[in-house]
């Protein structure tokens, strides 16, 4: 696998690879996607093999424009067109009833499909050059930290990918908001940069809850977005005490905190994170990947403020901390 620039020639070549059933990793505004022709069953199967992804875990189909929704979905509600007009291209995935002929491999065997138009010039150019829908989960091994630059893709997937377009670092850094429009009430199934409050204001009505039956969607498993190093969430008021407690028992730690360094102990390595949710989200995955290479026994993350604008960050951190039974918030 090689990294390629995002010139017109590179993008046309990448589109031809997708057309021939290959796998192309490409940047979006959220994370890098691992793309294949969404209408080619063998190509879609390669995505699952490369990622080690469960076969019943649905994929999101990326489109170049909203008017392509009718190719992939049926009974499209007015709300979908309203949101597409206001928020596409952008980090919003809509869950709709699938159209006839959509592959079971794309939908995880469900009667619904996830669609979005990404807000990245390289992604849009690739989609237009290809001329169809590209199924693209994040370009990493299943359950691992999502990639936000091309080098992450190379480190994660190696030669399982035929072509990688290097479009720089992702500007959002967290996966898209997923909004379910397949039922009686719109409801957010995965938080992201597009907030529930904004969606409710645009639609002019409150959103439904996530309770009850709901479609399976990307990033919905309890353990997800996880580094290899065990991660603990620590309440803000307890971060200094927690650091000292781990060091006293001889545990090396990497710390992500919104405060400045509080320990110069050689077994404590520290990254100060932004106190702005947008900037924090943009950097989170890159920082988790960085500290995962340090060889520490634990990653301690100061829990961000319990405010609505931090919901997407909280969601990703909680799932990152759920692996191997180490989930918890020290108090």
């Amino acid at each position: 696998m090689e990294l390629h620039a995002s010139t017109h020639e590179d993008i046309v070549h990448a589109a031809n690879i997708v057309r021939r059933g290959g796998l192309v990793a490409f940047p979006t505004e959220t994370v890098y996607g691992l793309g294949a022709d969404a209408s080619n069953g063998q190509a879609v199967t390669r995505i699952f093999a490369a990622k080690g992804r469960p076969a019943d875990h649905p994929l999101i189909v990326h489109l170049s424009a909203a008017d392509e929704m009718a190719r992939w979905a049926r009974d499209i509600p007015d709300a979908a067109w309203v949101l597409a007009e206001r928020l596409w291209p952008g980090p919003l995935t809509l869950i709709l009833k699938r159209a006839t002929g959509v592959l079971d491999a794309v939908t995880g065997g469900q009667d619904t499909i996830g669609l979005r138009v990404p807000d990245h010039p390289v992604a849009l150019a690739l989609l237009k050059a290809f001329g169809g829908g590209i199924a693209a989960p994040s370009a990493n091994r299943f359950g691992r930290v999502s990639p936000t630059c091309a080098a992450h893709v190379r480190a994660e997937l190696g030669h399982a990918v035929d072509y990688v377009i290097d479009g720089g670092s992702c500007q959002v850094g967290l996966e898209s908001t997923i909004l379910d429009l397949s039922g009686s009430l719109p409801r957010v199934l995965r938080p992201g940069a597009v907030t529930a409050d904004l969606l409710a204001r645009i639609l002019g009505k409150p959103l439904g809850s996530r309770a009850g039956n709901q479609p399976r969607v990307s990033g919905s498993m309890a353990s997800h977005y996880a580094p290899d190093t065990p991660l603990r969430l620590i309440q803000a008021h307890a971060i200094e005490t927690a650091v000292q407690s781990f060091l006293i028992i001889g545990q090396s730690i990497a710390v992500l905190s919104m405060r400045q360094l509080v320990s110069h102990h050689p077994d404590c390595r520290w990254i100060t994170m932004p106190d702005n949710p947008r900037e924090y989200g943009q950097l989170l995955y890159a920082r988790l990947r960085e500290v995962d290479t340090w060889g520490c026994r634990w990653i301690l993350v100061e829990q961000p403020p319990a405010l609505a604008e931090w919901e997407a960050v909280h969601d990703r951190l909680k799932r990152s901390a759920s692996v191997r039974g180490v989930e918890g918030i020290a108090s």
Side-chain angles (χ1 to χ4, degrees):
M1 181 192 70
E2 298 179 0
L3 304 183
H4 299 268
S6 52
T7 67
H8 174 72
E9 291 76 16
D10 294 320
I11 290 169
V12 169
H13 184 58
N16 287 331
I17 290 174
V18 175
R19 202 169 284 118
R20 295 194 299 266
L23 297 184
V24 171
F26 62 95
T28 76
E29 78 280 27
T30 57
V31 300
Y32 272 67
L34 180 62
D37 180 355
S39 64
N40 182 330
Q42 289 185 327
V44 170
T45 298
R46 287 191 62 197
I47 291 178
F48 288 88
K51 286 179 60 70
R53 185 182 180 96
D56 65 348
H57 212 57
L59 305 174
I60 293 171
V61 176
H62 292 64
L63 310 174
S64 66
D67 58 12
E68 297 175 27
M69 276 197 289
R71 157 69 179 82
W72 300 93
R74 72 178 196 277
D75 303 329
I76 301 173
D78 291 342
W81 298 110
V82 169
L83 291 170
E85 167 126 18
R86 289 283 301 274
L87 299 174
W88 279 359
L92 173 68
T93 294
L94 300 179
I95 302 298
L96 303 166
K97 295 290 187 181
R98 64 187 272 190
T100 302
V102 173
L103 297 175
D104 281 345
V106 170
T107 68
Q110 301 178 110
D111 192 39
T112 54
I113 186 168
L115 302 173
R116 93 174 182 99
V117 177
D119 188 15
H120 194 290
V122 172
L124 291 173
L126 174 63
L127 287 158
K128 289 174 183 175
F130 173 63
I134 294 180
S138 55
N140 56 278
R141 296 287 296 173
F142 184 73
R144 294 264 301 149
V145 179
S146 299
T148 55
C149 70
H152 295 164
V153 180
R154 179 172 57 185
E156 187 83 18
L157 294 179
H159 293 287
V161 185
D162 299 313
Y163 201 83
V164 179
I165 307 174
D166 188 348
S169 297
C170 299
Q171 292 302 302
V172 174
L174 298 179
E175 297 80 1
S176 61
T177 302
I178 297 181
L179 181 70
D180 179 19
L181 293 177
S182 66
S184 57
L185 278 178
R187 52 183 176 169
V188 172
L189 302 185
R190 180 177 72 186
V194 178
T195 65
D197 181 62
L198 175 60
L199 292 167
R201 291 203 312 270
I202 292 174
L203 295 176
K205 59 182 177 182
L207 304 184
S209 73
R210 297 182 216 178
N213 294 330
Q214 61 186 48
R216 295 187 305 279
V217 296
S218 296
S220 58
M221 299 185 73
S223 175
H224 221 84
Y225 318 113
D228 286 331
T229 308
L231 185 150
R232 290 288 301 268
L233 293 176
I234 309 295
Q235 290 184 3
H237 69 83
I239 188 69
E240 295 186 30
T241 301
V243 166
Q244 297 306 318
S245 297
F246 277 86
L247 294 175
I248 287 171
I249 60 174
Q251 301 281 296
S252 60
I253 53 174
V255 181
L256 301 185
S257 171
M258 285 182 282
R259 65 191 68 201
Q260 297 299 313
L261 177 69
V262 300
S263 174
H264 295 280
H265 193 286
D267 284 338
C268 176
R269 301 184 67 177
W270 195 281
I271 289 181
T272 300
M273 295 292 287
D275 59 5
N276 175 288
R278 181 187 61 79
E279 295 174 3
Y280 192 110
Q282 183 183 27
L283 293 175
L284 176 59
Y285 289 157
R287 294 295 178 260
L288 286 179
R289 283 180 171 272
E290 178 183 352
V291 300
D292 206 19
T293 67
W294 289 354
C296 296
R297 177 66 183 85
W298 294 92
I299 299 171
L300 306 185
V301 180
E302 177 187 343
Q303 191 177 32
L307 301 172
E309 56 264 34
W310 287 91
E311 183 181 12
V313 170
H314 278 288
D315 175 79
R316 304 312 191 271
L317 287 175
K318 180 179 178 181
R319 297 179 196 277
S320 296
S322 294
V323 70
R324 289 189 293 275
V326 299
E327 179 181 5
I329 302 173
S331 57

